[in-house]
Amino acid sequence: KQEGERAVGQQGPNTATNTDGGAGVHRGSLGNGDWIRLNGPFNLVNIDSLTFRTSGGSGAAGTGVVEVRLDAVDGPLLTSVTIQPTADANTWASQSFPISDPGGSHQVFLVFRPVAGGPGNNFFNLNWVEFGGEGISL
């Protein structure tokens, strides 16, 4: 699990006091092309899902897209997922998505994009990202 405040690089997002219970901050004001670099590298052997903890947003087609890229902000695309809106900025939900095991050790970048019919800016708030799967324990 990687908390939003643990990101080690970014372009665009701001931080705000977390409203998802517990201490810390979340990332917000996400716009087209904004990105964060998670505090890795991460060994992604046997990882088969990603879960995002988000709040806010609008749009029937989703509130925004997260491109998960490996090793650089414009690196290989691991997956691209559409985040669905929640009731409001203080209502948090976890959304899980399957991924193909990328194997190996990688830096992970999250790049934010709009969806057709969604907001042009302030897509959603991001509290954390969690990797799922057996991991290297196999």
Side-chain angles (χ1 to χ4, degrees):
K1 184 186 229 178
Q2 180 79 178
E3 296 282 345
E5 61 264 32
R6 302 288 182 232
V8 294
Q10 72 170 28
Q11 176 181 300
N14 70 11
T15 58
T17 301
N18 192 8
T19 60
D20 192 21
V25 299
H26 63 259
R27 300 285 170 153
S29 296
L30 303 171
N32 188 21
D34 289 354
W35 58 268
I36 62 174
R37 186 181 114 205
L38 302 180
N39 188 9
F42 300 95
N43 189 333
L44 300 177
V45 171
N46 298 316
I47 297 299
D48 60 14
S49 69
L50 288 173
T51 300
F52 296 86
R53 183 76 171 172
T54 66
S55 74
S58 63
T63 188
V65 170
V66 180
E67 295 176 353
V68 181
R69 297 197 171 264
L70 301 178
D71 302 317
V73 71
D74 60 352
L77 182 66
L78 175 60
T79 191
S80 182
V81 301
T82 300
I83 301 295
Q84 296 302 311
T86 66
D88 56 49
N90 293 313
T91 302
W92 293 86
S94 298
Q95 300 176 52
S96 295
F97 303 92
I99 61 170
S100 296
D101 175 358
S105 181
H106 299 277
Q107 294 289 346
V108 176
F109 290 77
L110 307 179
V111 182
F112 305 99
R113 304 283 184 202
V115 294
N121 284 306
N122 300 319
F123 302 147
F124 53 87
N125 297 316
L126 175 67
N127 187 5
W128 50 257
V129 178
E130 185 171 46
F131 300 94
E134 295 293 324
I136 58 173
S137 63
L138 286 177

